[in-house]
């Protein structure tokens, strides 16, 4: 996909990324599923590192978008599928972080971060 999608509606921008979303979904299913199956669990530190890294990347991308630029790795890297896969794994119990964060179950915190970041990233994809 070219760097820039002038003249496209937000919906058309998302559709244009369809193949990227599909390919990256399979990649993250295999990667995260493999980590879970090989290690017998999905390390909490890794789960939250992925989620926080994703949020930080989106915050950086938002600054670039607000200044008229393109997101970092635009049209080449999709991390919305990463969040979607983690949401499915968290909801299904395939990934089940133990403990809590400030008294809130870690699973719930991870879900809120993943859903929020997924929505934020999709909104950026519609504007880029």
């Amino acid at each position: 996909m070219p760097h820039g999608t002038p003249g496209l509606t937000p919906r058309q921008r998302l559709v244009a990324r369809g193949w990227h979303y599909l390919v990256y979904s399979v990649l993250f299913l295999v990667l995260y599923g493999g980590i879970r199956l090989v290690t017998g669990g999905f390390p909490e530190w890794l789960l939250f590192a992925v989620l926080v890294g994703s949020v930080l990347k989106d915050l950086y991308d938002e600054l670039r978008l607000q200044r008229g630029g393109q997101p970092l790795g635009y049209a080449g890297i999709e991390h919305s599928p990463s969040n979607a896969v983690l949401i499915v794994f968290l909801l299904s119990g395939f990934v089940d972080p133990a403990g809590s964060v400030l008294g809130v179950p870690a699973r719930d915190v991870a879900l809120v971060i993943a859903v929020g970041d997924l929505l934020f990233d999709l909104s950026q994809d519609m504007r880029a």
Side-chain angles (χ1 to χ4, degrees):
M1 186 169 37
H3 289 284
T5 50
L8 296 181
T9 67
R11 181 184 172 284
Q12 289 170 324
R13 287 184 176 113
L14 288 180
V15 170
R17 290 177 174 80
W19 285 109
H20 283 132
Y21 290 146
L22 178 63
V23 169
Y24 277 95
S25 292
V26 170
L27 172 73
F28 288 118
L29 275 167
V30 170
L31 178 65
Y32 296 156
I35 289 170
R36 164 61 174 78
L37 292 174
V38 169
T39 65
F42 199 92
E44 284 86 5
W45 68 266
L46 180 58
L47 173 64
F48 285 100
V50 167
L51 292 171
V52 169
S54 181
V55 169
L56 291 175
K57 185 220 179 272
D58 280 343
L59 291 173
Y60 178 72
D61 286 348
E62 188 63 26
L63 288 173
R64 291 174 60 110
L65 284 170
Q66 294 299 321
R67 294 179 179 160
Q70 294 295 331
L72 181 68
Y74 177 69
I77 300 170
E78 294 291 350
H79 72 269
S80 294
S82 170
N83 287 320
V85 167
L86 287 175
I87 290 166
V88 169
F89 282 177
L90 287 163
L91 289 174
S92 70
F94 188 69
V95 170
D96 189 22
S100 64
V101 178
L102 301 174
V104 179
R107 176 190 169 270
D108 296 346
V109 173
L111 272 171
V112 167
I113 294 170
V115 168
D117 188 51
L118 175 62
L119 295 173
F120 188 40
D121 190 49
L122 290 174
S123 78
Q124 290 177 332
D125 288 351
M126 288 189 288
R127 292 180 283 134

